[in-house]
Every structure is written in C-alpha cells, then in structure tokens.
Amino acid sequence: RPQARALQSFVTISKHWCKDVGVLQYTLKDSEGKVRQRIKERYSFLYVFDEAAGWKIAHHHSAVIPEGLQDTAEQIINDDDKGFFQ
C-alpha cells in the first residue's frame, strides 16, 4: 500500500477559489515493510466554492517527475521555481 507525503505545497486562497501546487512523494514497500521505491510527482489542484455545495475540486493534474530528475526535483523547486508557485 503506497504512502504519500507532501514535500512541497504552495497554497493560494481567494474568496471563491483556492489552488494548491507542489510535489508529493510516494513510498512503495514490499510485504515485509522494506522500502522498494520512492516516486515523486508534481501536482496541482484548483478548488472552487459553490454556495450550495461548498468547496469542490474544479481541476486536478499530476505527473511523475522523470527518474533522472527525482533527486534534483526538490532543489529545482527550492532554488529556481519557488516564485512561480506563490
């Protein structure tokens, strides 16, 4: 059963919408509990507020960060693109 953890999350809140973008890391373990793989992905959510129904997901996107960039993904976000997410 995969376990997910947010490595980066940048949230912007407005009166009728909210966005959350960042990086998640999934940890996959074998039947003995030994870590077999860690996968990082970029994600984005856009929520809208509906007066009758409350907060709803209007859009979601995620994409696995290519293996060659998995180790550098956090550094890239921290140094180069952090302003993009805010």
Side-chain angles (χ1 to χ4, degrees), residues 6 8-13 17-24 26 41-48 55-63 85:
Q8 299 282 331
S9 177
F10 301 95
V11 178
T12 304
I13 301 172
W17 61 269
C18 176
K19 71 176 179 176
D20 179 9
V21 297
V23 176
L24 292 174
Y26 293 94
E41 75 170 12
R42 307 180 288 258
Y43 73 89
S44 63
F45 283 95
L46 176 63
Y47 304 90
V48 294
W55 290 100
K56 298 288 183 179
I57 297 172
H59 177 77
H60 168 254
H61 176 73
S62 64
F85 294 110

Side-chain angles (χ1 to χ4, degrees), residues 28-71:
L28 307 173
K29 297 180 180 181
D30 64 17
S31 59
E32 297 173 0
K34 183 177 179 183
V35 173
R36 292 294 179 195
Q37 189 175 14
R38 286 193 170 94
I39 301 168
K40 293 180 184 174
E41 75 170 12
R42 307 180 288 258
Y43 73 89
S44 63
F45 283 95
L46 176 63
Y47 304 90
V48 294
F49 187 77
D50 180 282
E51 295 292 336
W55 290 100
K56 298 288 183 179
I57 297 172
H59 177 77
H60 168 254
H61 176 73
S62 64
V64 172
I65 298 171
E67 281 190 39
L69 298 176
Q70 293 252 342
D71 293 334

